């Protein structure tokens, strides 16, 4: 059965990995020029490179609904540049997961698929989705809500290795993003990780550069463009995070709760999908 995931960033990729390994066939959508930070663990990179391997799972870019279904049917992940989900009527998904993580609902509704799951703040289970999954680090991370909404966005990143806000690198000015380092590189506070409109974006703490925006994008001042992991584990840069997999587990629970099973066939038309 086809599951559509809106978004192909690091959390969406963790969800896709969990569902794929459970046997579901996955089609993901994202912006034509994705703004993913943790690019080494994002299936969105398939849109830029044509294909990408995250852990042991391969994703390939396509521009057609038919080819997306074919790719998903072969056991790979299909990725489409389709942020508005214009191809949705041709895909007939059994379920749709909104993992854009925009902190607000950008247009997902319960009538888009038999089962619709919202990830993170901005969704209310029972209103614009059938279930919502908590993304806030802490005791409730990955919990599924069948009524109500996840914790509202606080604007404060979760604590990792004793650091929260300090982990995030933000554009010091508006302009074109020009990386000066690579993901996985060990860094020291004060080093220049990138230039934005010619202005240095400096590392805020010592650690491992876990995420960095792709070069050539024009970004506004203050946009998140990088992420430093103070735990200094380079391997973490190339594997899905604990948070992404926890959220993925919540999505898997919700799908099973509503009767979506990986052994169901790919949908071939309206009414073929199983829903609540």
């Amino acid at each position: 059965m086809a599951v559509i995931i809106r978004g192909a960033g690091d959390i969406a990729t963790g969800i896709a990995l969990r569902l794929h390994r459970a046997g579901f066939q996955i089609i993901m959508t994202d912006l034509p020029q994705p703004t993913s930070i943790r690019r080494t663990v994002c299936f969105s990179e398939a849109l830029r490179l044509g294909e990408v391997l995250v852990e042991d799972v391969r994703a390939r870019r396509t521009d057609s609904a038919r080819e997306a279904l074919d790719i998903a049917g072969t056991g790979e992940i299909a990725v489409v540049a389709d942020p508005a989900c214009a191809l949705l009527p041709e895909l007939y998904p059994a379920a749709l997961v909104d993992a854009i993580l925009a902190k607000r609902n950008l247009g997902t509704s319960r009538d888009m698929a038999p089962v619709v799951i919202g990830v993170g703040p901005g969704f209310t289970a029972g209103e614009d989705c059938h279930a919502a999954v908590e993304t806030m680090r802490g005791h409730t991370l990955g919990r599924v809500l069948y009524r109500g909404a996840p914790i509202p966005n606080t604007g404060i990143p979760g604590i990792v290795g004793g650091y929260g806000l300090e982990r995030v690198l933000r554009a010091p000015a508006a302009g074109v993003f020009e990386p000066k380092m690579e993901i996985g590189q060990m860094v020291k506070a004060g080093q220049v990780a990138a230039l934005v409109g010619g202005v240095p974006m400096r590392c805020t703490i010592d650690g491992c550069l876990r995420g960095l925006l792709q070069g050539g994008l024009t970004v506004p001042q203050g946009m998140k463009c990088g992420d430093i992991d103070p735990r200094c584990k380079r391997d973490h840069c190339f594997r899905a995070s604990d948070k992404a997999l926890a959220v993925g587990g919540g999505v898997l629970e919700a799908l099973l709760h509503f009767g979506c099973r990986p052994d169901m066939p790919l949908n071939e038309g309206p009414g073929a999908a199983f829903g609540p």
Side-chain angles (χ1 to χ4, degrees):
M1 69 187 304
V3 175
I4 307 299
I5 301 178
R6 300 191 70 183
D10 65 308
I11 300 298
T13 296
I15 295 169
L17 287 172
R18 270 279 159 94
L19 300 188
H20 174 83
R21 288 169 178 158
F24 287 95
Q25 298 177 10
I26 308 297
I27 300 171
M28 308 181 80
T29 70
D30 210 321
L31 299 167
Q33 290 188 308
T35 56
S36 301
I37 303 299
R38 295 201 59 212
R39 293 180 290 110
T40 49
V41 289
C42 291
F43 285 133
S44 60
E45 281 288 87
L47 294 176
R48 188 170 68 93
L49 304 175
E51 65 177 55
V52 67
L53 191 70
V54 176
E55 297 190 8
D56 59 346
V57 179
R58 187 176 305 279
R60 288 197 284 141
R61 174 178 182 147
T62 180
D63 298 316
S64 77
R66 184 66 264 172
E67 188 177 21
L69 291 168
D70 290 343
I71 291 171
T74 67
E76 296 182 331
I77 308 291
V79 189
V80 186
D82 183 20
C85 278
L87 293 180
L88 192 63
E90 301 177 57
L91 296 171
Y92 310 116
L96 181 143
V97 180
D98 188 321
I100 297 173
L101 295 185
K103 316 302 183 186
R104 58 192 178 94
N105 188 337
L106 297 181
T108 291
S109 59
R110 282 195 299 175
D111 61 1
M112 293 177 75
V115 177
V116 174
I117 301 168
V119 176
F123 297 98
T124 302
E127 295 183 11
D128 53 8
C129 59
H130 297 97
V133 180
E134 182 59 69
T135 58
M136 178 71 76
R137 284 189 182 274
H139 186 69
T140 59
L141 176 64
R143 186 173 295 275
V144 183
L145 304 173
Y146 297 102
R147 284 289 183 272
I151 298 170
N153 180 37
T154 63
I156 302 174
I159 301 299
V160 174
Y163 293 92
L165 283 171
E166 303 93 336
R167 296 188 294 110
V168 178
L169 304 182
R170 297 190 178 276
V176 176
F177 189 81
E178 182 183 352
K180 294 298 180 183
M181 290 183 171
E182 295 182 357
I183 294 174
Q185 185 172 339
M186 296 298 170
V187 302
K188 294 289 187 181
Q191 289 183 308
V192 177
L195 298 177
V196 185
V199 179
M201 183 181 80
R202 299 184 182 277
C203 297
T204 48
I205 59 174
D206 297 353
C208 183
L209 190 62
R210 190 173 69 156
L212 196 65
L213 191 68
Q214 64 172 297
L217 295 180
T218 299
V219 302
Q221 183 176 8
M223 177 176 167
K224 180 180 176 180
C225 294
D227 176 22
I228 297 174
D229 189 337
R231 296 170 295 186
C232 297
K233 301 289 187 181
R234 189 174 186 274
D235 180 64
H236 290 182
C237 300
F238 304 97
R239 298 177 63 84
S241 69
D242 53 346
K243 177 177 178 177
L245 293 179
V247 173
V251 172
L252 178 58
E253 175 198 314
L255 289 176
L256 296 176
H257 173 85
F258 287 115
C260 294
R261 302 189 312 274
D263 58 348
M264 299 175 72
L266 273 170
N267 304 315
E268 295 296 340
F274 183 89

